[in-house]
Amino acid sequence: MVQIEQDILSKNNAYAHENRQLLAGQGIFALNLVSGPGSGKTTLLCKTITMLGGLPVAVIEGDQQTSQDAERIRATGAPAVQINTGKGCHLDAHMVGHAMSRLALKDDSLLMIENVGNLVCPAAFDLGEGEKVALLSVTEGEDKPAKYPLLFREASLIILTKIDLLPHLDFSVELFTQHLRRVNPSAPLLMLSARSGEGLPAWLEFLRPSLTLNQVQVAGP
Ligand code: MG
């Protein structure tokens, strides 16, 4: 069993390496967004694309079934490819490589990869992305970094979503931060609400280096 897992991961890593080289060759910044289902990944992506106001962004959507998320992205005007994993609980680098070739990615663009909603499996698979982003919504509880440490340890950015709901919940940001810092002492933590727009400027700041946005005026929330 361990041997099979090692073979799968080593094949995946080879594809991830290819993806990373392709992306680097075109100057594309790729993010791998990982969270449980319903944390607001697609909503954040739609809002982000709109705020970036026509800058080149492409999206790869991963779900077990349906193309609903890709359709939501396309409605913003950005190109999107949906991957359905069937029984699979995560995207892998081979699937992502295929989707990349279908997207005809532009040089110096941004590629957002929305992984299958799951805090466990996607954490183990490198897709060739530049940054792995872990998202958690405030409705999911403060203890998730303690319960699912791999994702929160591997992530280079953590986003706490739906913070507009905080007044209605017992969620403690302080307790969440303590759990998070035990597994990941250093990754930046952004707190935002795609609905209210709070925290979105800091998120756009994080994306800015990838899009040479210093030359472009970004629309407000
Ligand atoms: Mg989604």
Side-chain angles (χ1 to χ4, degrees):
M1 199 62 183
V2 170
Q3 186 58 48
I4 292 169
E5 278 181 21
Q6 283 175 350
D7 287 350
I8 290 171
L9 283 175
S10 88
K11 271 187 193 147
N12 183 75
N13 286 343
Y15 285 118
H17 180 70
E18 272 180 32
N19 292 349
R20 191 163 277 122
Q21 284 195 313
L22 269 167
L23 292 165
Q26 284 191 263
I28 297 166
F29 183 51
L31 299 180
N32 176 11
L33 280 73
V34 183
S35 77
S39 68
K41 295 184 294 299
T42 315
T43 302
L44 178 61
L45 287 181
C46 289
K47 188 87 178 189
T48 304
I49 292 162
T50 305
M51 288 175 73
L52 290 174
L55 287 168
V57 185
V59 177
I60 296 171
E61 284 288 344
D63 279 303
Q64 287 196 322
Q65 288 192 37
T66 85
S67 55
Q68 290 179 19
D69 282 3
E71 285 158 23
R72 285 172 66 191
I73 298 292
R74 283 186 210 116
T76 68
V81 165
Q82 180 80 49
I83 299 172
N84 284 141
T85 57
K87 289 179 181 166
C89 56
H90 62 88
L91 294 177
D92 66 38
H94 186 235
M95 300 169 184
V96 167
H98 271 289
M100 280 165 50
S101 60
R102 285 176 57 196
L103 277 167
L105 297 165
K106 291 184 181 155
D107 289 353
D108 305 314
S109 64
L110 181 61
L111 174 63
M112 308 277 220
I113 305 165
E114 181 182 336
N115 221 309
V116 178
N118 184 328
L119 290 169
V120 183
C121 315
F125 285 79
D126 182 10
L127 304 180
E129 73 272 10
E131 310 274 356
K132 186 174 286 170
V133 182
L135 299 93
L136 187 81
S137 63
V138 294
T139 56
E140 293 172 78
E142 305 96 335
D143 53 0
K144 295 304 170 291
K147 290 182 172 174
Y148 305 98
L150 181 62
L151 170 61
F152 291 92
R153 192 180 301 131
E154 297 272 306
S156 48
L157 175 71
I158 319 289
I159 302 182
L160 188 64
T161 63
K162 306 192 187 183
I163 59 166
D164 57 305
L165 294 177
L166 281 172
H168 310 287
L169 302 169
D170 294 328
F171 186 95
S172 161
V173 172
E174 194 187 343
L175 185 55
F176 166 72
T177 309
Q178 286 171 10
H179 281 304
L180 172 65
R181 290 312 176 206
R182 267 182 219 128
V183 297
N184 189 331
S186 58
L189 167 64
L190 298 181
M191 300 196 287
L192 57 79
S193 164
R195 195 179 182 201
S196 71
E198 191 181 354
L200 290 181
W203 162 238
L204 293 182
E205 273 309 308
F206 178 82
L207 300 175
R208 183 181 294 272
S210 67
L211 281 166
T212 55
L213 296 186
N214 45 352
Q215 294 152 33
V216 185
Q217 191 64 43
V218 175

